[in-house]
């Protein structure tokens, strides 16, 4: 690679380093992390794992600390429109220049160690936050927990939002197996906050084995929140408990918590946009547990609803469809820009009533057709992060007010 590489140059190059998109394991990233941070990172860390709700929980925590005097870094994945979304300091995305500078440092330190795209991202976040002298960093796990590159950092507080069946090729096909993978983010004598309402025995046993103080959250947050859905009230309660567990080092007031929870926003988590007389709901629900939460939230305000939907081929699509079919009057099936996407004829065949579906040439066609349905008042777009990314590229042409505006 030549000097003066752009951010896109760096990202395109990183994608060529590994044949497989997902390569779990800490051996590679640990070597480079130890070279970059021989004494560990110079700030406190909250690590957030879980099947669903990670991004929302990170947003609640970040929003609360934003009301305080502390400087806070936030690392999330994947991004929806641009890579910079993955890194924020005090709520503001970082520049291309800061990311490139971090990549350049990683390159000088890695000494021939091959890293994945996500491992570069994790290490870049840690460097960016160190350079900015943050007091605290909130790190969202990408996949699983035990072998995810984020787990190279010893957190001060770990969070496990919930445990459901997803990513079975990597994490196992039972909640017990997946629970053990998520539990890997726990640390001895460091608090873990868990929002799962029926935690697997594997998680409970591991906490006991390594002497992790485990708090199970069963009651939802009672006050007003910035995100819709009953499940978000539970995520808010988890966030508050995590912040309380650090109160000896990072005290915040009750008013900061109240305001922070109320002001929290995160893209494409039941995000509502008005186009004409229609409400468009964008949601990254991409597994049965997330779809169930989405449908429960839609059911709080019943109305005639159609869906624009697609998914990755390795997801439990049949269960996703069955959970939503009672609420969705018609489905517009769209191709998405992803290697693991399902072909549309195969997707259509997963429906018990194929007549309730329309295969669309592209996302633009699906949105146009759904907006032309006079009797329909709500359009929900879901199934994958890729679905939402493709959708917003079309929706932003309507000059709507959204998270990304």
């Amino acid at each position: 690679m030549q000097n003066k590489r752009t951010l896109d140059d760096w990202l395109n190059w990183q994608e060529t380093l590994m044949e497989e998109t997902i390569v779990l394991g800490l051996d590679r990233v640990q070597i480079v992390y130890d070279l970059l941070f021989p004494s560990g990172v110079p700030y406190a860390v909250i690590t957030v794992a879980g099947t669903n709700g990670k991004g929302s929980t990170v947003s609640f925590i970040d929003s609360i600390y934003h009301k305080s005097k502390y400087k806070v870094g936030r690392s999330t994945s994947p991004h929806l429109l641009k890579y910079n979304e993955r890194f924020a300091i005090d709520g503001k995305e970082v520049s291309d220049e800061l990311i490139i500078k971090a990549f350049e440092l990683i390159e000088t330190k890695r000494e021939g160690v091959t890293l994945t795209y996500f491992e570069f991202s994790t290490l870049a976040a840690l460097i960016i936050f160190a350079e900015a002298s943050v007091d605290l960093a909130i790190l969202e796990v990408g996949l699983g927990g035990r072998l995810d590159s984020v787990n190279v950092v010893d957190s001060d507080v770990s969070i496990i939002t919930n445990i459901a069946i997803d990513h079975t090729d990597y994490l196992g096909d039972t909640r017990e197996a997946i629970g053990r993978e998520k539990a890997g983010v726990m640390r001895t004598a460091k608090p873990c906050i868990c929002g799962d309402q029926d935690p697997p025995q594997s998680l409970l046993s591991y906490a006991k084995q390594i002497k992790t103080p485990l708090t199970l959250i069963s009651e939802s947050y009672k006050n007003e929140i910035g995100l819709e859905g009953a499940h978000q009230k539970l995520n808010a309660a988890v966030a508050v408990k995590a912040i309380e567990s650090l109160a000896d080092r990072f005290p915040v007031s009750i008013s900061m918590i109240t305001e922070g929870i109320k002001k929290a926003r995160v893209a494409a988590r039941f995000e509502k946009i008005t186009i004409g007389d229609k409400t468009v709901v964008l949601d990254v629900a991409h597994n049965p547990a997330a779809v169930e939460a989405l449908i429960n939230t839609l059911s709080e305000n019943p109305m005639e609803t159609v869906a624009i939907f697609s998914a990755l081929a390795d997801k439990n699509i049949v269960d996703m469809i069955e959970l939503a079919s009672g609420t969705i009057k018609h489905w517009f099936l769209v191709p998405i820009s992803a290697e693991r996407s399902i072909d549309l004829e195969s997707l259509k065949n997963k429906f018990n009533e194929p007549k309730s579906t329309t295969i669309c040439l592209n996302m633009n066609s699906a949105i146009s057709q759904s907006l032309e349905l006079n009797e329909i008042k709500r359009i929900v777009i879901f199934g994958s992060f890729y679905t939402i990314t493709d959708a917003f590229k079309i929706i932003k042409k309507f000059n709507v007010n959204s998270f990304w505006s």
Side-chain angles (χ1 to χ4, degrees):
M1 296 178 68
Q2 302 298 316
N3 291 330
K4 303 298 181 184
R5 310 158 198 160
T6 67
L7 180 55
D8 283 342
D9 289 338
W10 275 101
L11 298 177
N12 291 335
W13 173 70
Q14 289 169 20
E15 289 177 340
T16 69
L17 298 180
M18 289 276 196
E19 286 187 15
E20 297 180 51
T21 306
I22 301 171
V23 185
L24 294 178
L26 298 182
D27 294 345
R28 299 174 307 277
V29 71
Q30 186 75 56
I31 293 170
V32 185
Y33 174 78
D34 288 342
L35 291 169
L36 288 166
F37 300 102
S39 301
V41 292
Y43 43 78
V45 171
I46 299 175
T47 297
V48 184
T51 304
N52 299 306
K54 297 188 295 291
S56 299
T57 303
V58 169
S59 179
F60 283 127
I61 296 170
D62 192 38
S63 184
I64 291 169
Y65 281 130
H66 191 55
K67 303 295 179 184
S68 72
K69 63 183 180 181
Y70 312 116
K71 194 172 190 178
V72 177
R74 182 190 76 220
S75 173
T76 56
S77 70
H79 61 276
L80 287 165
L81 294 181
K82 61 177 182 175
Y83 186 81
N84 310 58
E85 295 168 24
R86 292 172 179 247
F87 319 101
I89 296 173
D90 288 342
K92 295 181 180 178
E93 291 177 11
V94 304
S95 66
D96 287 10
E97 289 72 25
L98 285 179
I99 299 170
I100 291 170
K101 184 180 177 183
F103 286 160
E104 289 172 344
L105 181 57
I106 295 167
E107 191 63 7
T108 65
K109 293 287 188 180
R110 70 183 182 95
E111 298 180 351
V113 176
T114 302
L115 298 172
T116 66
Y117 179 95
F118 188 77
E119 288 165 348
F120 264 99
S121 177
T122 297
L123 292 172
L126 303 180
I127 292 166
I128 290 165
F129 299 154
E131 292 287 330
S133 300
V134 303
D135 299 302
L136 187 144
I138 316 159
L139 308 178
E140 179 186 353
V141 167
L143 177 62
R146 183 174 65 91
L147 298 176
D148 185 87
S149 60
V150 167
N151 204 34
V152 74
V153 184
D154 287 326
S155 62
D156 296 86
V157 180
S158 58
I159 291 173
I160 300 171
T161 57
N162 61 12
I163 295 159
I165 305 296
D166 200 8
H167 300 295
T168 55
D169 290 348
Y170 301 97
L171 305 179
D173 58 5
T174 66
R175 289 185 77 247
E176 288 296 330
I178 295 170
R180 174 61 187 87
E181 293 300 315
K182 307 288 186 191
V185 300
M186 296 178 183
R187 294 294 188 271
T188 297
K190 300 292 186 180
C192 176
I193 316 301
C194 179
D196 193 275
Q197 298 303 282
D198 183 23
Q201 187 58 46
S202 59
L203 185 150
L204 302 175
S205 297
Y206 187 69
K208 186 175 181 181
Q209 175 188 333
I210 69 167
K211 297 181 171 56
T212 294
L214 179 63
T215 300
L216 303 177
I217 301 298
S218 57
E219 291 191 11
S220 295
Y221 184 74
K222 302 300 184 187
N223 298 327
E224 183 183 348
I225 67 173
L227 303 176
E228 288 199 46
H231 61 293
Q232 297 291 13
K233 288 182 175 289
L234 190 63
N235 290 332
V238 170
V240 170
K241 191 64 181 180
I243 281 174
E244 288 176 348
S245 71
L246 282 173
D248 58 333
R249 295 169 60 188
F250 302 100
V252 297
S253 67
I254 292 175
S255 65
M256 289 174 188
I257 291 174
T258 303
E259 280 301 301
I261 293 291
K262 190 188 301 184
K263 297 292 185 182
R265 299 290 185 273
V266 61
R269 274 66 165 187
F270 210 86
E271 181 180 2
K272 293 192 293 189
I273 294 171
T274 300
I275 301 178
D277 65 344
K278 305 273 194 294
T279 297
V280 179
V281 175
L282 300 169
D283 198 288
V284 294
H286 58 283
N287 56 48
V291 171
E292 184 175 19
L294 168 62
I295 295 304
N296 288 341
T297 307
L298 289 171
S299 299
E300 292 174 7
N301 186 18
M303 67 178 73
E304 293 282 279
T305 302
V306 297
I308 297 174
F309 177 77
S310 197
L312 299 181
D314 56 0
K315 297 296 182 179
N316 188 341
I317 296 172
V318 170
D319 281 3
M320 293 165 70
I321 292 168
E322 288 181 355
L323 284 162
S325 286
T327 301
I328 305 302
K329 185 173 182 177
H330 193 82
W331 300 72
F332 293 94
L333 309 182
V334 292
I336 50 175
S337 311
E339 289 181 9
R340 289 155 40 224
S341 62
I342 188 170
D343 75 87
L344 296 187
E345 285 296 338
S346 298
L347 179 56
K348 186 182 183 79
N349 289 336
K350 292 184 180 293
F351 285 79
N352 289 328
E353 296 181 22
K355 289 182 179 180
S356 68
T357 66
T358 298
I359 290 180
C360 300
L361 182 65
N362 51 42
M363 181 62 74
N364 187 56
S365 173
I367 291 174
S368 296
Q369 289 184 64
S370 60
L371 289 174
E372 289 169 1
L373 298 173
N374 292 329
E375 73 280 11
I376 298 300
K377 297 302 178 188
R378 183 167 60 191
I379 303 159
V380 59
I381 307 176
F382 73 105
S384 168
F385 278 83
Y386 296 100
T387 315
I388 298 301
T389 297
D390 290 349
F392 194 75
K393 290 174 182 176
I394 307 301
I395 289 173
K396 68 179 182 179
K397 296 175 184 177
F398 290 89
N399 294 317
V400 295
N401 182 25
S402 78
F403 183 91
W404 293 290
S405 297

